[in-house]
């Protein structure tokens, strides 16, 4: 395998609603400017582009096509797109670099979650014959998972509130975060249920956003970054689609992806957990004891659909590049109740 | 910043063919019977799955299960949404029917969350008029199974699934200025600061330079037909009777053509290079839309030479 | 050639038709997949990863359908990647699956692409009125027909070329058991007598709307077995839908992709070194347009190859011996079908539409407003 590192990362501010179009151009133009500018690169230096987004978030077919306007994609670019969180675009770009065909890739994702009614839009991911027609929404589906863990004693409402409190406190140092501040678990637990057993603080906010990550191979990475975040392993797996056939309190796909990626021990982890109990679940499944979790505040403080997973990779890489961590884990999820999971392990080398 | 937004409704009744497994399951529901399918590991899946989750093998071993079962987990819905099984607050639950090894997701009708608990017994409440869909189970309710009158009919092979999603669609600020110009009968393009090309409609980013177009350029309402087709085919939502011409019109001073209708002459008279001018709708009908120009029509000027528009094909 | 060697070891397709009402979406995919696994002589435990390609989710009304299809795709516990690059997606799916092997990450990868257009109505999904955008009232072919007119003007091609392509592809389709349209008796005259829909495009010169799926198994050198289709080059290129001065007849993204492809494959004379080509031709005139764009002929000369009969089976460069998109168009799958058909040719498994002695073949797909291109070259000759 070739040495590949994350050398650049930029994200749009996570906000409840932008005024821009659903094609992401307004959010992406400054993000590309920042990520390329910081590296002293021009668009023509990028040998492969890969993006992640969703037509159902935008409410129209082929919504990703207009996004390439933000690149200024002429002369033509070597490009691909996944209909998934851009963390999977990052995986595709890493694979592309592994073929030896390219050395430098830019990965981006975007989504204007505020355009539709997000929890209803996400119903469109469910089995279209026996589940989707009933219109269970994404918060309720997460609620089914949360209760299963509560009933089995895998986590408590107190622990869930503690996750929200810690996340919002950490987000105070994240200028891009949407939710931040000092809260007490006691106050949060006094709030009414949104979808019993979930309260508002248990659910990620609705966020418009975009992000970009630059990947580079070996010498190119060393030229571009003082301390590249070397990817030591990246893998993903999917679980069964049958919600009632899965043990919702476990995540075999996360465990399998972590094993494939060579997971051992890390200083910091950025977990893509849009619900508080999902962070607790992932920590248990990965055995993350004593590991610093989500210093960025995580997606509970800003959850731009289809770039939130990529942002975990960017944030974890930043921990390494800044010298705050030597080994980091980034996790991304996709699908209802953590169906599809990706793990990216990175390290700094001195 | 000028912003414009409008509702965008995505609505369609999808027609889903079911195939042998889901067809048999839906036929069973229509007949008030619930059938599961046995997986390679012996587990009985309800609803049935077509392929084993572990071996991926096609499954064919059917097992009838009870119409009552046990709640595995649940979540409360204080404000039901369109299309859901109940219009008053209810619980979503994963319910393992007696005889099944997997749970099905459905609604449970109870007065409040205090009436729900994991492990509680629930039974199917059948829809009054079953049609062969998951909605034939109207919902679940507390209690044990009761005898039901079976119904019968032709096998169910299709299910219609309405999808209704509402979005708010926003225009870019560049597009908003252009649309506001149209409201006043003006054609406002913008020039890219890098390549100096004039775009109409203007773009959030110049597609070749990736920067917003900035300088406003007002364009005349006449130009050249670069290329076109004659529409002879009727289709849904058509507003004019064929044949008519849909053409690319390059406004004088613009660097990109847009598609519009050419009327005011016989379709067979339209040609590449033909000079055209806008035929505006009456002022009182003007909106923020290029449709304020009803169509373009011949201006009577001599045709433009091929070289003047050959770079726009 | 990039990275490790990779080869197609098996392909499978559904029996494409307008409405496959006998199967669910899972059943449709599995018809192609089961045939591909059998053709490759592999079983589920042999598959390391699955790549799924499909055009817009709104066609079937399921967001990221690979998620609910995970079990049917045999992907549970494995990596499952979803590709979407507009109409070229089937081709991109093949390229991404190839890269999973060329990178050394996996040994055997299953690529699947499908479209079940009968779940909805593609025209509806593509023409939901978007606020602030004036509908042009041109219909499905209205986007491409003006560019065909531009081609005819620029190349001075005679009017019957389009009909020749349509008649050839439909006759070829009659040799292909999977084809949606099989019209062995079609003639240039009958195509020219068919209704003019979007002048200059006639009814018989347009692709059908199909339900269908395609699957291929790609393996590394060790697992490739005897006589696979070696993937000797892949290319992807994208440019914006519209921009000032864009050449819509001969888009640069296509030219650049082709140039990269020939370079990688070590081909300097495509017309003489390629034995068969499966080119994405949804409207007949795109055959000569893409022949030029791909560099098989000089600019303005593509139609002469067609007119001379050289693109028929038995000609210098048989184009779409399978019948092509003009005979079957399950949109998201159409690109992968081109790639699979190219592989079938060099593996000698194309049956009645086999091009004799095909050693090197091109698979080509494009999408959007002729702006997304995906291509690959497969060869019976193992790269040294």
């Amino acid at each position: 395998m070739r040495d590949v590192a994350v050398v650049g990362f930029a994200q749009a501010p996570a906000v409840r609603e932008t005024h821009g179009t659903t094609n992401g151009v307004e959010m992406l133009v400054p993000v590309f400017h920042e990520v390329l500018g910081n590296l002293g690169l021009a668009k023509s230096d990028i040998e492969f582009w890969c993006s992640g987004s969703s037509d159902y978030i935008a409410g129209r077919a082929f919504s990703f096509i207009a996004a390439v306007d933000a690149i200024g994609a002429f002369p033509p670019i070597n490009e691909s797109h996944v209909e998934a969180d851009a963390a999977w675009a990052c995986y595709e770009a890493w694979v592309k670099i592994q073929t030896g065909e390219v050395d430098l890739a830019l990965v981006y994702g975007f989504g204007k979650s505020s355009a539709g009614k997000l929890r209803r839009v996400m119903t469109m991911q469910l089995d279209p014959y026996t589940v989707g027609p009933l219109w269970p929404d994404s918060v309720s589906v997460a609620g089914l998972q949360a209760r299963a863990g509560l009933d089995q004693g895998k986590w408590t409402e107190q622990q869930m509130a503690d996750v929200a409190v810690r996340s919002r406190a950490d987000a105070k140092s994240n200028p891009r975060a949407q939710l931040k501040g000092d809260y007490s678990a006691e106050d949060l637990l006094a709030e009414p249920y949104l979808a019993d057993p979930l309260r508002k603080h248990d659910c990620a906010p609705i966020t418009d956003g975009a992000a970009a990550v630059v990947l580079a191979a070996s010498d190119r990475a060393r030229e571009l970054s003082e301390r590249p975040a070397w990817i030591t392993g990246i893998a993903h797996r999917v679980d069964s689609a049958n919600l009632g056939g899965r043990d919702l309190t476990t995540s075999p796909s996360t465990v399998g992806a972590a094993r494939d990626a060579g997971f051992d021990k890390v200083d910091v982890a950025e977990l893509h957990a849009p619900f508080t109990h999902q962070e607790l679940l992932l920590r248990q499944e990965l055995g993350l004891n004593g590991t610093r979790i989500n210093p960025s505040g995580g997606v509970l403080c800003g959850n731009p659909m289809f770039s939130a997973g990529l942002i975990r990779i960017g944030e974890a890489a930043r921990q390494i590049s800044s010298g705050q961590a030597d080994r980091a884990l980034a996790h991304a999820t996709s699908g209802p109740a953590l169906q599809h999971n990706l793990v990216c392990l990175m390290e700094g080398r001195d | 910043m000028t912003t414009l937004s409008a509702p965008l409704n995505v609505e369609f009744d999808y027609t889903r063919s079911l195939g042998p497994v889901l067809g048999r399951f839906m036929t069973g529901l229509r007949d008030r019977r619930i059938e599961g399918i046995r997986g390679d590991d012996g587990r009985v899946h309800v609803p049935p799955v077509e392929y084993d989750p572990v071996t991926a093998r096609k499954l064919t071993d059917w097992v009838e299960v009870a119409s009552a079962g046990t709640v595995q987990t649940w979540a409360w819905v204080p404000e039901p949404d369109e299309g859901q099984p109940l219009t008053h607050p209810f619980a979503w639950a994963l319910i393992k029917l007696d005889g099944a090894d997997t749970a099905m997701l459905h609604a449970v009708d109870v007065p409040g969350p205090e009436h729900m608990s994991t492990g509680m017994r629930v039974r199917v409440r059948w829809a009054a008029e079953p049609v062969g869909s998951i909605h034939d189970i109207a919902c679940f309710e507390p209690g044990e199974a009761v005898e039901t009158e079976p119904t019968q009919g032709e096998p169910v092979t299709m299910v219609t699934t309405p999808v209704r999603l509402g979005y708010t669609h926003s225009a870019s600020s560049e597009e908003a200025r252009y649309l506001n110009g149209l409201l006043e009968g003006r054609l406002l393009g913008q020039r890219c600061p890098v390549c100096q090309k004039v775009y109409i409609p203007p773009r959030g980013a110049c597609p070749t330079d990736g920067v917003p177009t900035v300088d406003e350029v007002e364009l005349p309402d006449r130009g050249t037909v670069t290329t076109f087709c004659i529409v002879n085919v009727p289709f849904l939502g058509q507003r004019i009777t064929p044949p008519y011409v849909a053409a690319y019109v390059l406004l004088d001073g613009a660097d990109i053509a847009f598609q519009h209708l050419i009327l005011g002459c016989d379709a067979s008279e339209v040609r590449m290079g033909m000079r055209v001018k806008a035929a505006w709708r009456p002022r009182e009908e003007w909106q923020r839309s290029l449709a304020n120009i009803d169509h373009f029509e011949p201006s009577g000027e001599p045709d433009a030479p091929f070289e003047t528009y050959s770079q726009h094909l | 050639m990039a990275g490790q060697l990779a080869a197609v070891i098996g392909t499978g397709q559904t029996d494409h038709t307008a409405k496959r009402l006998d199967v669910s979406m899972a059943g449709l995919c599995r018809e192609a997949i089961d045939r591909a696994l059998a053709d490759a002589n592999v079983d589920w435990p042999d598959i390391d990863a699955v790549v799924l390609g499909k055009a817009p989710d709104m066609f079937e009304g399921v967001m990221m359908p690979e998620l609910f299809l995970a079990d049917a795709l045999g992907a549970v516990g494995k990596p499952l990647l979803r590709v979407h690059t507009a109409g070229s997606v089937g081709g991109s799916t093949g390229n991404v699956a190839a890269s999973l092997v060329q990178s050394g990450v996996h040994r055997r990868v299953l690529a699947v692409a499908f479209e079940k257009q009968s779940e909805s109505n593609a025209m509806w999904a593509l023409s939901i009125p978007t606020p602030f955008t004036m509908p042009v009232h041109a219909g499905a072919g209205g986007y491409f027909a003006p560019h065909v007119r531009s081609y005819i003007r620029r190349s001075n091609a005679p009017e019957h070329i389009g009909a020749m392509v349509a008649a050839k592809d439909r006759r070829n389709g009659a040799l292909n058991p999977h084809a949606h349209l099989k019209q062995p008796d079609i003639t240039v005259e009958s195509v020219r007598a068919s209704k003019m829909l979007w002048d200059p495009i006639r009814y018989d010169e347009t692709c059908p709307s199909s339900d269908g799926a395609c699957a291929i198994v790609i393996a590394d050198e060790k697992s490739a077995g005897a006589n696979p289709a070696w993937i000797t080059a892949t290319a992807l290129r994208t440019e914006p839908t519209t921009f000032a001065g864009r050449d819509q007849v001969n888009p640069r993204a296509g030219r650049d992709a082709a140039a990269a492809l020939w370079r990688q494959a070590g081909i300097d004379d495509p017309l003489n070194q390629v034995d068969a080509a499966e080119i994405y031709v949804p409207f007949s005139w795109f055959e000569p347009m893409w022949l030029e764009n791909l560099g098989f002929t000089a600019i303005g000369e593509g139609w002469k190859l067609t007119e001379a009969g050289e693109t028929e089976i038995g000609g210098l460069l048989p184009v779409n011996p399978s019948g092509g998109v003009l005979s079957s168009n399950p949109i998201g799958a159409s690109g992968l079908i081109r790639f699979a058909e190219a592989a079938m040719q060099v593996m000698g498994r194309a049956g009645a539409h086999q091009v004799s002695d095909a050693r090197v073949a091109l698979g080509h797909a494009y999408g959007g407003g002729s702006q997304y291109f995906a291509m690959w070259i497969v060869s019976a000759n193992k790269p040294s």
Side-chain angles (χ1 to χ4, degrees):
Chain A
M1 290 282 128
R2 301 180 79 195
D3 277 344
V4 177
V6 175
V7 296
F9 168 51
Q11 61 172 309
V15 294
R16 176 63 182 81
E17 186 173 4
T18 56
H19 295 296
T21 58
T22 51
N23 63 32
V25 166
E26 296 89 345
M27 295 187 287
L28 288 168
V29 165
V31 165
F32 290 155
H33 187 80
E34 180 184 341
V35 77
L36 293 174
N38 287 347
L39 295 167
L41 294 172
K43 68 180 184 189
S44 54
D45 293 319
I46 302 298
E47 297 166 297
F48 183 64
W49 302 75
C50 199
S51 60
S53 69
S54 163
D55 280 351
Y56 265 108
I57 293 292
R60 60 213 175 92
F62 298 123
S63 58
F64 61 94
I65 289 183
V68 302
D69 280 10
I71 297 170
F74 194 82
I77 56 173
N78 187 3
E79 191 244 9
S80 188
H81 172 262
V82 298
E83 193 83 357
D85 187 284
W88 275 267
C90 188
Y91 179 81
E92 186 181 327
W94 175 82
V95 167
K96 190 79 165 180
I97 295 175
Q98 291 301 337
T99 66
E101 209 180 308
V102 302
D103 290 335
L104 193 61
L106 190 149
V107 181
Y108 66 95
F110 65 94
K112 187 178 177 180
S113 312
S114 67
K117 185 174 179 182
L118 185 61
R119 56 194 281 186
R120 183 174 171 86
V121 168
M122 299 310 286
T123 300
M124 301 301 294
Q125 286 188 334
L126 299 170
D127 179 291
Y129 305 98
T130 62
V131 186
L134 301 171
W135 289 96
D137 64 281
S138 55
V139 176
S140 297
V141 170
L144 294 172
Q145 184 181 38
R147 166 117 38 218
L150 289 167
D151 286 343
Q152 292 177 31
K154 289 205 169 182
W155 48 77
T156 64
E157 292 190 22
Q158 175 72 43
Q159 289 173 313
M160 289 159 66
D162 289 343
V163 166
V165 169
R166 191 210 66 231
S167 299
R168 292 179 184 188
D170 283 337
K172 287 192 293 180
S173 57
N174 178 357
R176 299 300 201 197
Q178 178 180 355
L179 282 180
K180 56 183 86 174
D182 294 313
Y183 295 82
S184 79
E186 198 183 354
D187 289 349
L188 293 181
L189 287 169
E191 294 287 318
Y193 287 113
L194 183 69
D196 183 352
L198 297 176
R199 295 180 177 83
K200 199 173 175 188
H201 69 257
D202 292 311
C203 309
I206 295 167
T207 307
D208 291 353
V213 155
V214 175
L215 298 181
S218 47
D219 288 347
R220 198 80 176 94
R222 285 180 205 97
E223 283 164 31
L224 289 166
S225 171
E226 297 254 317
R227 196 165 194 262
W230 296 102
I231 295 174
T232 57
I234 180 169
H236 66 104
R237 289 185 175 199
V238 71
D239 288 319
S240 169
N242 191 355
L243 287 171
R246 276 164 63 192
D247 177 354
L248 294 177
T249 67
T250 64
S251 182
S253 58
T254 303
V255 174
R259 193 171 45 232
D260 279 3
F263 174 61
D264 179 15
K265 192 169 170 299
V266 291
D267 307 318
V268 63
E270 280 280 344
L271 303 177
H272 187 185
F275 298 91
T276 51
H277 70 274
Q278 293 180 340
E279 178 190 306
L280 297 164
L281 188 165
L282 291 166
R283 276 161 53 183
Q284 287 174 11
E285 289 290 276
L286 291 168
L288 293 172
N289 303 316
T291 303
R292 177 102 162 86
I293 306 291
N294 292 352
S296 68
V299 295
L300 290 169
C301 299
N303 185 31
M305 296 299 289
F306 291 80
S307 60
L310 180 68
I311 291 170
R312 307 280 70 73
I313 295 173
E315 290 284 6
R318 183 177 278 167
Q319 290 288 318
I320 289 171
S321 299
S322 64
Q324 285 165 290
D326 290 324
R327 302 173 79 182
L329 177 150
H331 159 267
T333 196
S334 176
L338 301 176
Q339 188 193 348
H340 194 183
N341 294 283
L342 177 146
V343 170
C344 177
L345 297 169
M346 290 166 277
E347 68 176 24
R349 293 171 192 162
D350 296 307
Chain B
M1 188 193 294
T2 330
T3 58
L4 281 177
S5 60
L8 167 60
N9 294 318
V10 175
E11 305 188 339
F12 197 82
D13 290 347
Y14 285 88
T15 49
R16 307 208 181 282
S17 54
L18 294 165
V21 171
L22 294 164
R24 177 162 167 176
F25 176 65
M26 295 302 182
T27 303
L29 293 184
R30 197 270 321 276
D31 297 344
R32 297 184 173 155
R33 181 180 73 244
I34 303 176
E35 287 189 283
I37 209 160
R38 194 182 301 281
D40 285 336
D41 53 6
R43 287 195 298 165
V44 174
H45 297 267
V46 180
V49 295
E50 293 179 81
Y51 301 93
D52 189 86
V54 181
T55 65
R57 215 176 54 87
K58 187 174 186 168
L59 299 179
T60 51
D61 184 8
W62 288 87
V63 182
E64 185 165 349
V65 299
S67 60
T70 307
V71 169
Q72 306 295 301
T73 182
W74 59 277
W76 189 250
V77 183
E79 290 173 32
D81 198 5
E82 186 192 342
Q84 293 179 342
L86 295 164
T87 52
H88 53 265
F90 67 93
W92 289 116
L94 283 170
I95 299 153
K96 194 183 279 184
L97 295 175
D98 298 345
D101 295 294
T102 68
M104 70 186 299
L105 196 158
H106 219 297
V108 180
D109 188 5
V110 290
E114 65 280 7
H115 296 271
M116 286 299 299
S117 61
T118 298
M120 74 187 277
R121 297 285 297 167
V122 291
R123 68 177 172 223
V124 168
R125 182 193 295 164
W126 294 103
E129 289 172 20
V131 295
S133 94
I134 195 66
H135 284 284
D136 290 352
I137 298 176
C139 63
F140 283 77
E141 60 192 17
E144 293 296 338
V146 288
E147 282 291 306
T148 47
E149 276 296 300
T151 62
Q152 255 184 327
E154 291 297 304
V156 175
T157 60
M158 301 285 296
V159 63
T160 301
T161 304
V163 169
R164 308 264 176 274
L165 295 170
Y167 292 86
T168 301
H169 185 82
S170 301
S172 67
S173 61
E174 293 80 7
E175 200 182 1
R177 282 165 63 177
Y178 154 79
L179 292 165
N180 286 326
L182 283 168
L183 192 59
E184 299 165 3
R186 301 167 70 201
L187 293 166
L188 300 179
Q190 282 182 20
R191 192 186 302 277
C192 168
V194 179
C195 65
Q196 304 295 319
K197 300 287 187 191
V198 173
Y199 277 85
I200 184 162
R203 307 277 274 259
C206 167
T208 61
D209 295 301
V211 297
T213 52
V214 196
D215 298 334
E216 206 151 84
V217 181
E218 183 156 0
L219 296 166
D221 63 353
R222 59 179 61 216
T224 303
V225 169
T226 58
T227 186
F228 65 96
C229 73
I230 304 171
V231 180
N232 284 306
V233 56
F235 54 85
L236 202 71
Q238 201 167 31
R239 126 182 126 81
I240 315 162
T241 313
Y244 59 90
V245 171
Y248 283 91
V249 175
L250 181 68
L251 293 181
D252 295 347
D255 289 297
I256 191 158
F258 54 70
Q259 254 190 322
H260 217 305
L261 300 171
I262 308 296
L263 302 175
C265 67
D266 199 85
S268 63
E269 290 172 39
V270 177
R271 55 208 177 265
M272 293 171 75
M274 179 188 240
R275 295 283 300 163
V276 290
K277 64 176 199 278
W280 292 83
R281 291 183 186 215
R283 193 179 192 109
E284 56 276 16
E285 292 176 20
W286 286 357
Q287 299 176 334
R288 288 184 177 86
S289 170
L290 186 58
N292 293 351
I293 296 178
D294 184 75
H295 59 269
F296 281 80
E297 59 194 23
S299 70
E301 298 160 88
D303 285 3
F306 186 60
E307 315 79 71
T308 62
Y309 62 90
S310 64
Q311 296 310 305
H312 297 277
L313 295 177
Chain C
M1 236 295 298
Q4 314 284 317
L5 289 181
V8 176
I9 61 168
T11 69
Q13 292 179 49
T14 52
D15 299 323
H16 316 306
T17 189
K19 292 175 192 273
R20 280 297 305 268
L21 300 184
D22 58 321
V23 288
S24 64
M25 286 180 256
L28 186 76
C29 290
R30 280 297 291 265
E31 184 173 308
I33 292 169
D34 292 348
R35 288 172 177 173
L37 295 181
D39 189 44
N41 195 25
V42 297
D43 199 359
W44 285 109
D46 303 319
I47 300 297
D48 300 324
V50 182
V51 183
L52 183 103
K54 215 198 69 59
D57 288 358
M58 284 179 186
F59 285 0
E60 285 82 7
V62 189
M63 181 177 183
M64 302 158 71
E66 65 281 6
L67 293 170
F68 98 87
L69 289 169
D71 303 67
L73 297 171
V76 171
K78 294 174 182 175
L80 171 61
L81 201 57
R82 162 71 188 283
V83 180
H84 178 18
T85 59
S88 71
V89 63
S92 304
T93 303
N95 282 356
V96 170
S99 73
L100 286 169
V101 173
Q102 291 167 331
S103 61
V105 174
H106 295 302
R107 292 191 56 191
R108 290 187 205 84
V109 175
L110 173 67
V112 186
F114 84 100
E115 206 73 71
K116 197 157 184 305
Q117 294 206 58
S118 65
E119 300 277 308
S120 72
N121 175 326
M123 265 319 291
W124 164 81
L126 294 178
S127 57
I128 300 170
T130 307
F132 315 122
T133 305
M134 181 192 72
V136 183
H137 301 287
Y143 181 84
F144 292 105
H147 305 313
V148 167
R149 180 179 304 276
S150 300
Y151 171 74
I152 294 169
R153 167 74 187 258
R154 277 165 43 166
S155 67
N156 291 312
E159 173 262 352
H160 63 271
I161 298 297
M164 286 186 74
V165 173
K168 171 201 59 132
D169 281 4
R170 293 279 166 77
R171 280 199 308 267
N172 287 350
L175 303 172
N176 176 358
H178 301 295
H180 174 178
L181 297 179
K182 298 184 177 79
Q183 300 175 341
D185 301 323
I186 197 169
T187 62
V188 174
E189 291 66 37
S190 70
V191 174
R192 292 174 78 182
S194 70
K195 186 170 167 55
M196 187 65 92
L197 300 184
W198 296 277
D199 190 341
I201 297 178
R202 292 184 176 83
Y203 178 76
D204 277 349
E205 296 177 277
T206 64
C207 58
S209 164
S210 317
D211 284 352
C214 179
I216 59 176
V217 181
I218 297 178
D220 67 358
E221 185 176 6
K222 243 177 162 172
S223 321
N227 306 319
W230 297 100
I231 300 163
T232 60
T234 64
L236 298 171
R237 287 295 183 276
T238 303
E239 68 184 42
T241 322
T242 60
F243 58 87
R246 176 162 189 240
D247 189 336
Q248 308 232 41
V249 173
N250 186 16
R252 180 159 166 198
R255 280 183 280 145
D256 287 5
L261 195 76
W262 304 135
R263 197 165 53 240
Q264 264 184 57
I267 289 173
D268 49 27
D269 180 1
L271 188 57
N272 286 301
Q273 289 173 271
V274 175
D275 303 314
E278 283 282 341
I279 302 177
Y280 204 104
V281 177
F283 300 100
S284 60
W285 280 96
F286 277 83
E287 174 174 303
M289 287 163 70
W290 293 148
L291 286 172
E292 295 172 25
N293 188 248
L294 284 161
F296 282 113
T297 72
I299 302 302
E301 308 272 309
W303 62 269
K304 293 178 184 168
L305 209 60
T306 301
E307 188 177 47
E310 297 292 2
T311 60
E312 292 180 32
I313 297 174
L316 181 58
L317 178 72
V319 174
N320 294 327
S322 69
V325 180
L326 281 171
S327 298
S328 317
N329 187 29
I331 304 175
S334 290
L336 194 61
I337 295 171
R338 305 279 72 68
F339 280 40
E341 287 284 351
M344 288 159 62
Q345 288 293 343
V346 300
M347 290 193 284
R349 298 183 195 172
H353 61 282
Q354 178 69 45
V355 172
S356 57
D357 299 325
R359 303 289 295 172
V360 176
L362 164 74
H364 165 278
Y366 84 98
S370 303
Q371 65 188 120
Y372 283 85
F373 291 85
M375 307 173 187
W376 80 6
I377 297 289
V378 281
S379 173
N381 309 317
K382 185 175 178 179
S384 43

